[in-house]
């Protein structure tokens, strides 16, 4: 049996994995990636400029990876042929059927996709998407298939470069048959910008579609707004935690300290502590909301 860690160690030892990828890798996490991204964005805001962020959405990314292209990329990364052949045998020869009530369709061959629930699946996907950041001049960060690209906007040339990078990613996606979903790709301008930037993507029928603009995006589980205030995330986290506390109070008529501590740590704290180095409130009104009080009624 080939362990995924052996492949990962091979890629890391030979510096083959992109440093922009944070998914399925030991020592990396959503919080670490967001801290790095926020550092870049806040530095731009301190300089008085804005940042245009493009959130890219793949269409069923794990299910669309062509097996032949994946094998090609594994070979290019120097994986020995015995391992490549083992992965090829694992992926190919599969069939699928659709069952509805007592009716079953005829079996068809599965020629694409890596199984997310398997040991080799995540590593195979990282291999497939590994070269995507090399296609652009703007900064790109990945967490598995979650992709965001951003650029500091000082003048119109920066907007043009970001549009060129969007086009480059589209060329990459068509080449490797891993298509983006134009309707779900969004643009968010962080900070105040005097430039009216309009970015586009190509749809399946070949027509050009302007990307929707957003002021609030869910980024790796954290609600990020265009002012980096995180008020919406703080508000939702506090409400979620208070809601769970209410369920606990209704469910248990009698709780000792040990049992309550166990319930609080396992059910409540994860909601208010996830990614807290990124969004931790620094304004008094947000700290009051986090404590469950309403700022309008507080003295």
């Amino acid at each position: 049996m080939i362990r995924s860690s052996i492949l990962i160690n091979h890629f890391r030892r030979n510096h083959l994995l992109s440093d922009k990828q944070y998914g399925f890798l030991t020592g990396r996490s959503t919080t670490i990636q967001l801290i790095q991204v926020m550092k870049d964005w806040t530095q731009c805001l301190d300089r008085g400029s804005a940042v245009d962020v493009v959130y890219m959405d793949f269409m069923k990314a794990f299910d669309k990876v062509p097996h032949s292209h994946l094998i090609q990329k594994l070979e290019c990364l120097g994986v020995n042929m015995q391992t490549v052949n083992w992965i090829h045998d694992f992926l190919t020869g599969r069939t699928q059927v659709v069952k509805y009530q007592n009716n079953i369709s005829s079996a068809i061959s599965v020629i694409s996709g890596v199984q997310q629930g398997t040991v080799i699946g995540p590593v195979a996907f990282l291999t497939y998407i590994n070269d995507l950041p090399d296609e652009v001049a703007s900064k790109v960060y990945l967490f598995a298939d979650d992709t965001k690209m951003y650029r500091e906007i000082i003048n119109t040339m920066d907007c043009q470069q970001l549009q060129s990078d969007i086009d480059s990613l589209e060329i990459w996606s068509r080449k490797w048959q891993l298509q983006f979903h134009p309707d779900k790709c969004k643009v968010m301008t962080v900070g105040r910008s005097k430039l009216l930037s309009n970015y586009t993507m190509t749809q399946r029928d070949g027509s050009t579609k302007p990307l929707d603009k957003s002021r609030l995006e869910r980024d790796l589980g954290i609600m990020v707004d265009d002012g980096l205030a995180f008020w919406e995330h703080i508000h939702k986290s506090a409400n979620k935690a208070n809601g769970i506390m209410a369920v606990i109070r209704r469910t248990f008529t009698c709780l000792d300290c040990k049992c309550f501590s166990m319930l609080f740590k396992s059910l409540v704290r994860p909601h208010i502590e996830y990614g807290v180095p990124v969004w931790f409130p620094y304004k008094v009104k947000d700290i009051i909301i986090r404590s469950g009080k309403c700022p309008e009624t507080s003295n």
Side-chain angles (χ1 to χ4, degrees):
M1 176 66 69
I2 299 174
R3 293 185 301 173
S4 61
S5 59
I6 296 177
L7 279 176
I8 292 293
N9 290 337
H10 165 74
F11 295 146
R12 282 186 158 178
R13 184 170 58 252
N14 294 282
H15 307 289
L16 298 174
L17 277 180
S18 171
D19 62 352
K20 305 300 183 183
Q21 177 62 261
Y22 282 75
F24 307 125
L25 297 173
T26 304
R28 295 196 162 200
S29 67
T30 54
T31 301
I32 293 174
Q33 190 208 97
L34 287 170
I35 288 174
Q36 180 60 52
V37 171
M38 293 302 157
K39 176 185 175 183
D40 290 344
W41 293 359
T42 52
Q43 286 177 345
C44 293
L45 297 184
D46 289 341
R47 291 192 289 267
S49 55
V51 181
D52 280 351
V53 187
V54 184
Y55 287 94
M56 316 291 286
D57 187 270
F58 284 104
M59 292 190 287
K60 299 181 179 179
F62 280 79
D63 298 330
K64 293 293 185 70
V65 175
H67 296 160
S68 58
H69 290 352
L70 173 60
I71 296 302
Q72 177 185 342
K73 289 199 171 188
L74 286 169
E75 293 175 351
C76 290
L77 289 174
V79 179
N80 65 69
M81 287 308 301
Q82 182 179 0
T83 303
V84 171
N85 290 334
W86 181 86
I87 296 175
H88 177 270
D89 292 341
F90 173 76
L91 294 173
T92 57
R94 296 176 178 269
T95 59
Q96 64 181 12
V97 299
V98 176
K99 182 178 181 180
Y100 178 71
Q101 295 181 351
N102 294 325
N103 301 314
I104 301 178
S105 68
S106 57
I108 61 172
S109 298
V110 178
I111 60 174
S112 66
V114 291
Q115 292 74 25
Q116 297 186 56
T118 61
V119 173
I120 205 65
V123 182
F125 185 80
L126 294 189
T127 303
Y128 197 76
I129 204 173
N130 186 60
D131 62 332
L132 182 145
D134 300 333
E135 302 295 318
V136 299
S138 301
K139 289 190 176 182
V140 175
Y141 278 90
L142 305 167
F143 195 91
D145 62 327
D146 287 323
T147 306
K148 56 179 168 281
M149 177 172 61
Y150 59 89
R151 188 174 187 86
E152 182 178 6
I153 304 299
I154 300 175
N155 50 48
T156 55
M157 295 294 293
D158 293 315
C159 296
Q160 293 171 6
Q161 180 60 61
L162 186 55
Q163 178 61 61
S164 177
D165 289 336
I166 294 173
D167 298 338
S168 296
L169 289 188
E170 286 194 279
I171 294 172
W172 181 93
S173 69
R174 287 193 294 270
K175 176 182 178 181
W176 297 107
Q177 300 177 26
L178 207 61
Q179 298 294 318
F180 291 108
H181 200 308
D183 294 332
K184 294 184 178 180
C185 294
K186 302 290 182 63
V187 177
M188 183 173 70
T189 299
V190 178
R192 297 181 179 179
S193 178
K194 297 180 180 179
L195 299 174
L196 295 176
S197 54
N198 295 300
Y199 303 102
T200 61
M201 289 190 72
T202 304
Q203 301 187 96
R204 289 184 178 183
D205 58 4
S207 61
T208 301
K209 179 186 183 300
L211 293 182
D212 294 333
K213 294 185 178 181
S214 174
R215 300 194 63 181
L216 180 70
E217 283 295 318
R218 187 178 182 87
D219 192 341
L220 300 180
I222 293 180
M223 303 302 296
V224 180
D225 59 87
D226 57 2
L228 301 185
F230 298 105
W231 189 91
E232 185 72 22
H233 184 80
I234 294 168
H235 185 73
K236 286 190 174 183
S237 297
N239 285 346
K240 184 69 174 180
N242 287 330
I244 296 174
M245 285 294 298
V247 172
I248 292 174
R249 288 194 295 266
R250 289 196 303 267
T251 305
F252 297 88
T253 56
C254 181
L255 274 176
D256 56 28
C257 291
K258 182 178 180 181
C259 185
F260 176 78
S261 177
M262 184 183 303
L263 289 170
F264 182 82
K265 290 178 180 178
S266 59
L267 299 178
V268 181
R269 283 182 61 174
H271 291 283
I272 58 178
E273 291 187 349
Y274 169 70
V276 71
V278 179
W279 59 267
F280 192 84
Y282 61 92
K283 295 181 180 179
V284 173
K285 66 174 184 178
D286 294 334
I287 295 174
I288 293 173
I289 291 173
R290 188 168 181 258
S291 66
K293 300 176 183 179
C294 178
E296 287 77 11
T297 59
S298 300
N299 295 323

